[in-house]
């Protein structure tokens, strides 16, 4: 076959190959990568279907959310800003307006915008998750087309305000606490840490019984770190209702209090609580509550003190 004919056939084969590739890849196309921003994000706005809009603002004391400026879960907010700042865009799947196909219409999409001061750093719409892998479909403000991105963006941003609140009620080390007072319907007593010879706990009142040091250590560790299982409406605890158990504890610098009421209605695995560190009622799990509702007799050591000289 003449060389000229071979070149013509080769050109036709390449053209056919390009047509086939274009047909099977549809509208997928290359694009410029999404560059991360360098500024510090200080505001996030989230609108998810079926949920109230969320605004998170960074202030001197950390991230705050909602009109009442609840303390936000810093870890979840950081995860959000990191996910937006490091978008891993895999491919453009459509140049045209196929919003319904990818669940990017208003009724289904999650919209997210992040700012530095008043400057918009990034704005995206999050559609449905990909059929395979952990990606999802998005649109980017300022760019045409629909993109497939890596990561579970949908699950990161499909949250309610309550889910973004900081659930940490107390966060101390056991060594921070030097005394604790307990009041219930049956008893009132207190324990304090003694620095005589070897640091140990003892009853503050006239009680002469020895304190079981292992039990008080376990009790203090339970009290020092408390997380809410849920936040409750203000009327969950009536203004006239008395706490079943009241606990106050003192550190070198401050005093804190926790009041435990009855169980949450319809939930035997949670108790209603109030604390000085939180504006509204919350619940803690039953196991945690039961570790804290201990009478004085529970702390008494069963060991008999050693007689001198023995």
């Amino acid at each position: 076959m003449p060389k000229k004919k071979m070149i013509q056939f080769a050109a036709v084969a390449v053209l056919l190959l390009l047509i086939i590739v274009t047909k099977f890849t549809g509208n997928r196309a290359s694009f410029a990568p999404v560059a991360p921003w360098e500024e510090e994000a200080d505001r996030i706005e989230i609108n998810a279907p079926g949920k109230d809009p969320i605004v998170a603002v960074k202030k001197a004391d950390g991230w705050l959310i909602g009109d009442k400026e609840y303390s936000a879960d810093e870890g979840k907010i950081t995860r959000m800003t990191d996910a937006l700042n490091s978008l891993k865009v895999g491919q453009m799947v459509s140049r045209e307006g196929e919003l319904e196909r990818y669940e990017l219409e208003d009724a289904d999409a999650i919209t997210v915008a992040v700012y530095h001061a008043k400057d918009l750093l990034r704005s995206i719409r999050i559609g449905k998750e990909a059929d395979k892998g952990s990606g999802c479909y998005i649109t980017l403000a300022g760019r045409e087309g629909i993109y497939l991105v890596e990561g579970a963006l949908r699950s990161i941003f499909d949250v309610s305000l309550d889910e973004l609140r900081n659930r940490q009620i107390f966060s101390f080390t056991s060594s921070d606490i030097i005394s604790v007072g307990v009041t219930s319907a049956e008893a009132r007593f207190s324990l304090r840490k003694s620095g005589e010879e070897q640091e140990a706990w003892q009853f503050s009142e006239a009680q002469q019984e020895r304190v079981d040091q292992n039990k008080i250590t376990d009790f203090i560790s339970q009290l020092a770190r408390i997380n809410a299982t849920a936040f409750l409406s203000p009327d969950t605890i009536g203004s006239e209702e008395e706490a079943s158990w009241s606990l106050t504890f003192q550190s070198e610098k401050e005093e804190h209090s926790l009041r435990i009421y009855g169980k949450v209605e319809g939930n035997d695995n949670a108790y209603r609580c109030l604390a000085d560190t939180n504006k509204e009622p919350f619940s803690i799990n039953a196991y945690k509550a039961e570790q804290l509702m201990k009478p004085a007799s529970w702390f008494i050591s069963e060991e008999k003190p050693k007689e001198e000289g023995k």
Side-chain angles (χ1 to χ4, degrees), residues 124-153:
I124 68 172
R125 293 170 67 90
I126 305 169
K128 72 174 185 177
E129 295 179 346
D131 295 332
K132 296 180 181 180
S134 62
C136 62
Y137 300 99
I138 70 165
T139 59
L140 279 159
R143 293 196 182 204
E144 293 183 357
I146 297 170
Y147 299 86
L148 175 64
V149 297
E150 296 179 22
L153 288 182

Side-chain angles (χ1 to χ4, degrees), residues 10-309:
V12 171
V14 170
L15 181 60
L16 287 172
L17 181 61
L18 287 174
I19 293 172
I20 293 171
V21 169
T22 301
K23 180 177 180 179
F24 283 97
T25 56
N27 291 318
R28 298 176 184 180
S30 60
F31 50 86
V34 179
W37 64 74
E38 297 181 358
E39 298 85 351
E40 182 181 31
D42 57 21
R43 182 182 177 89
I44 303 175
E45 297 176 0
I46 305 168
N47 283 276
K51 296 181 173 68
D52 292 332
I54 298 172
V55 177
V57 179
K58 189 171 188 180
K59 295 190 176 181
D61 295 334
W63 284 90
L64 305 175
I65 54 174
D67 295 338
K68 295 184 177 180
E69 296 191 332
Y70 294 120
S71 175
D73 186 316
E74 300 278 338
K76 290 182 179 180
I77 296 293
T78 298
R79 187 184 180 201
M80 287 179 169
T81 55
D82 287 349
L84 291 173
N85 196 23
S86 58
L87 281 179
K88 296 180 179 179
V89 182
Q91 61 192 22
M92 180 189 289
V93 297
S94 175
R95 287 186 182 276
E96 301 173 359
E98 299 181 278
L99 299 180
E100 182 178 1
R101 175 183 176 185
Y102 296 102
E103 296 182 10
L104 283 161
E105 293 184 313
D106 291 343
D108 300 309
I110 299 172
T111 60
V112 185
V114 60
Y115 298 83
H116 167 71
K118 294 183 179 180
D119 297 329
L120 179 65
L121 299 175
R122 183 150 298 149
S123 178
I124 68 172
R125 293 170 67 90
I126 305 169
K128 72 174 185 177
E129 295 179 346
D131 295 332
K132 296 180 181 180
S134 62
C136 62
Y137 300 99
I138 70 165
T139 59
L140 279 159
R143 293 196 182 204
E144 293 183 357
I146 297 170
Y147 299 86
L148 175 64
V149 297
E150 296 179 22
L153 288 182
R154 186 95 192 178
S155 63
I156 293 174
F157 291 99
D158 192 8
V159 294
S160 65
L161 186 142
D162 263 8
E163 290 172 311
L164 273 184
R165 287 182 64 177
N166 180 10
R167 293 175 182 265
Q168 194 172 76
I169 305 300
F170 296 145
S171 181
F172 299 92
T173 62
S174 296
S175 59
D176 289 333
I177 300 175
I178 59 174
S179 69
V180 59
V182 180
T183 301
S184 70
E186 291 79 24
R188 179 190 297 267
F189 64 94
S190 59
L191 299 116
R192 62 182 174 83
K193 193 181 290 185
S194 171
E196 298 175 4
E197 296 182 5
Q198 185 176 356
E199 190 175 81
W201 285 87
Q202 63 186 41
F203 287 107
S204 301
E205 292 82 2
Q207 284 182 261
Q208 298 300 311
E209 290 91 348
R210 288 164 56 86
V211 173
D212 186 313
Q213 299 302 313
N214 291 328
K215 285 186 175 181
I216 185 64
T217 297
D218 290 343
F219 176 83
I220 294 299
S221 67
Q222 291 287 347
L223 181 59
R225 299 187 68 85
I226 292 179
N227 291 328
T229 55
F231 294 102
L232 309 175
S233 62
D235 60 359
T236 303
I237 298 175
S239 58
E240 303 297 324
E241 185 175 358
E242 293 186 2
S244 301
W245 291 78
S246 294
L247 299 95
T248 58
F249 63 92
Q250 182 79 39
S251 69
E252 293 286 355
K253 298 180 180 179
E254 54 192 354
E255 182 177 277
H256 293 286
S257 65
L258 172 70
R259 284 174 283 168
I260 304 174
Y261 297 80
K263 291 183 177 179
V264 174
E265 185 177 355
N267 184 0
D268 286 339
N269 196 41
Y271 280 80
R272 297 169 295 135
C273 298
L274 285 171
D276 66 293
T277 55
N278 199 69
K279 299 175 183 178
E280 297 175 350
F282 59 93
S283 62
I284 62 175
N285 68 57
Y287 175 81
K288 169 72 79 171
E290 289 159 6
Q291 297 307 300
L292 297 173
M293 297 186 294
K294 300 295 187 183
S297 58
W298 185 82
F299 294 96
I300 296 174
S301 174
E302 296 180 358
E303 292 184 9
K304 294 183 179 179
K306 295 181 180 179
E307 296 180 14
E308 291 186 10

